Structures are given as C-alpha cells and as structure tokens.
Amino acid sequence: MNTLMIYGAAGYTGAMAAEHAASAGLDLVLAGREQSRPSLEALADRLGVGVRTFLSDNPDAVANGLDGISVLLNAAGPFANTAEPLMSAAIRAGVHYLDFSAELDTYREAVALDARARAAEVMLLPGSGGSVAILGSLAGHALARVRHARKISIALHVAGAMSRGSATSASQNIVTETLYLVDGELVTRSPDELRDFDFGSGPQSCFPVTLPDLVTIHHATGVPDIDTFVHVTAGAFPTGDVKDLPAGPGFEEREANRYHAAAEVTDADGTVRRSVLDTVNGYTFTAMAAAEAARRVLAGEVRPGFQTPAGLFGNGFAETIADTRIIDL
C-alpha cells in the first residue's frame, strides 16, 4: 500500500491540497461525506483519481473506507467533530494520520491516543500544514540560538479573509479559555494582556490566544513556559452569517496577503533572541505543506505515536514550502 486518502477533499483547503498531491504524482483517493460526492467526483475527474464516501463517525464505514490506504490526510473541519474518530479509526486500520487542525483539542486527543498509536506503529501528525507547521519551525529555529531556553513567546500575523471552513471551526471551537503554558502546565490568563511583536515592519499589537502550539512546541522542545499571540489584519474576521461566506479567498487575495510570525526566546541566563518568519498566505501554505508532509510520510518518514511537523521533519520544514524564510533579528 502506498496510497494517500484526503478526507474532506471537497472543502476549500482540502481541494487545494488534493491538487498539490496530484501534481506531486501521489497515488491519491478523495473522500468525504455522501453529500459531498458531486463536488468530489468533479475534482476527482479533473485529477484522474478515485472517490470514496463515508461518515467519519461511523467506525465500520470508516474501516471499509480506509481499506488499501496507507496515509490519511483529514481536511474535514471542524476537527472537533472529525479528528478523534478518524485518528482512532486510523490506529485500528494501521493507517498513518495527518491533518491541519488549528484546534487545541485535536492535539489533546492525539496525546491521549499516543500509546495506542505507538503500539499499533501508527503515526499521528496533526498540524502537518498550517500554523502549527509555521510556528513549530520558527520556534525550533529560534530555540537553537540559545543554550537553555526557559520561555518562548510566539505570535502569528494573520492577513486576508478567512475561509468558510475556518470561520465555522472558530465559531465551534470548544476551548473558550485563554491559556498559556507555565512550568509545563496549561494555565488560564487574561485575554486583555496585549503586547507588541515586530514582524519585520515595526511593532504590532497582538492579543493572547489559545493556539495548539502550546502543546506542540512543548512536545517537540520541552520548553516549560510558552505563550501564543495573534495579530489580525482588519477585515480578516468575518461578520454576518458564516453560511453566507464564500468558500475562501481567491488566488489574487491570497497573493496579496502574506503571513508572518515572530518568536522571542528567553534563555535561562536572561538572554533574549528574536526571529521572524515570512511566508505565503496561510491557506496556500497549508495546502502545500500538508501535501508535502503526506509525500514524505508515504516515502517512509514515519515515527509511531503523536508527532509534530518540526519534530519529525526538522526545524527547516516550513522553509521548504513555497517562498518561506526565517530571519534572525
């Protein structure tokens, strides 16, 4: 078996990931719910690949759907609904699992399933694209500049409009507290504790937010104190009914809105090092990175259990995707 399945390929980012995977020559199957079949079949016809449909919360249907599959890329958000059942099914089927979730609970679930996955020699790689891959690479790069990192503060600059799927996931995100990591434990903090980060063009006010990188960066590096922030360009958060939003930003809008990230690392001796990352629009990056991660996993870059993109592929992973670069300040 050397076949990739993209579940949720009828969605905005899933379809882009499918196009990149097909362009890379991967043996590909598109999948989703029965309601998505017309869109799936149209995309599959264009890419020359097969289609399967099943519900993610039906264990028997998922087991049948995963027959002959070696790697599953879950692109079906909200991941609060799909990640745990598909991870569990992948473990039972001996299939490596990837997604690009930005929801903290996905990673808590992956940690909880780690022992089962290791016993089954299955890898769980949530965050194979998206902010987790971006911030994980930046954090790992910045941490390498100090000897004994005690704390890392990291911020993501989000630009351009959100997709309908991202807006839906954000509206259904069950983590309502603002959290940060202190001595390896998640602790509640005030959402009003703003601070500035320089993404390369002067200080920008950022607000604290609960990102999954609180789990993934700690898992990959062991740094005990981590806080995460976001700066959102005006107009990025949608207004009105989510169902009325377009599927996602078009090519020209993505091209006009690059993403940036900033990391500040504090060493045990008080030394502070800062690095920034500049990359393509987040949706472009996510689709490309998820397809590239799947290609590398299919090629044998696998480690059983819960993994992170930077931990598995190295701190330079983000810089292999499109026009991405990290600069030390």
Side-chain angles (χ1 to χ4, degrees):
M1 294 189 299
N2 203 34
T3 301
L4 168 67
M5 171 181 283
I6 300 181
Y7 186 81
Y12 174 72
T13 310
M16 289 196 293
E19 290 173 351
H20 287 296
S23 295
L26 304 185
D27 188 6
L28 180 64
V29 172
L30 307 185
R33 299 177 301 168
E34 182 62 35
Q35 298 93 314
S36 302
R37 180 174 285 277
S39 298
L40 286 171
E41 290 183 341
L43 179 60
D45 287 346
R46 182 156 57 83
L47 300 180
V49 301
V51 167
R52 300 181 190 178
T53 57
F54 54 87
L55 291 175
S56 62
D57 59 357
N58 183 326
D60 291 337
V62 177
N64 291 332
L66 291 178
D67 183 46
I69 302 300
S70 49
V71 176
L72 169 64
L73 170 60
N74 178 16
F79 294 96
N81 301 333
T82 63
E84 193 282 330
L86 287 178
M87 282 192 284
S88 294
I91 292 170
R92 291 191 296 270
V95 172
H96 301 304
Y97 173 92
L98 289 70
D99 68 30
F100 41 76
S101 170
E103 302 168 27
L104 177 64
D105 281 347
T106 299
Y107 300 83
R108 287 169 159 168
E109 290 159 354
V111 170
L113 291 169
D114 176 70
R116 283 178 53 195
R118 290 178 186 274
E121 298 188 346
V122 166
M123 183 170 68
L124 304 178
L125 186 66
S128 58
S131 62
V132 168
I134 291 172
L135 298 182
S137 289
L138 176 60
H141 174 97
L143 289 167
R145 301 181 62 203
V146 301
R147 299 187 62 178
H148 302 290
R150 173 65 196 179
K151 178 179 181 179
I152 181 163
S153 298
I154 197 155
L156 180 67
H157 179 192
V158 176
M162 295 176 70
S163 73
R164 187 191 307 132
S166 295
T168 301
S169 294
S171 68
Q172 296 185 15
N173 193 339
I174 63 174
V175 179
T176 56
E177 295 178 306
T178 303
L179 303 174
Y180 66 140
L181 201 71
V182 179
D183 291 329
E185 300 292 333
L186 290 170
V187 178
T188 303
R189 72 179 304 169
S190 169
D192 301 322
E193 297 176 22
L194 306 182
R195 61 159 296 180
D196 288 345
F197 285 85
D198 189 343
F199 298 100
S201 57
Q204 300 279 353
S205 180
C206 301
F207 59 89
V209 65
T210 303
L211 294 180
D213 309 274
L214 297 170
V215 172
T216 55
I217 292 174
H218 178 66
H219 179 84
T221 67
V223 173
D225 295 352
I226 303 171
D227 49 9
T228 52
F229 297 80
V230 168
H231 174 79
V232 180
T233 300
F237 280 148
T239 58
D241 195 326
V242 170
K243 297 191 296 295
D244 296 331
L245 293 175
F251 174 79
E252 291 184 358
E253 185 174 1
R254 294 199 307 271
E255 287 289 293
N257 289 282
R258 296 177 67 84
Y259 273 33
H260 301 86
E264 178 183 283
V265 178
T266 303
D267 203 356
D269 64 4
T271 301
V272 177
R273 294 283 185 263
R274 295 179 177 85
S275 301
V276 296
L277 178 147
D278 171 71
T279 189
V280 293
N281 183 267
Y283 292 106
T284 301
F285 181 95
T286 295
M288 296 181 70
E292 172 61 8
R295 184 195 68 79
R296 293 175 68 159
V297 173
L298 285 166
E301 293 187 55
V302 172
R303 194 179 301 147
F306 169 50
Q307 306 297 333
T308 69
L312 180 68
F313 301 130
N315 297 333
F317 177 61
E319 290 182 284
T320 69
I321 307 302
D323 178 21
T324 303
R325 58 179 182 158
I326 296 175
I327 302 168
D328 297 326
L329 302 181

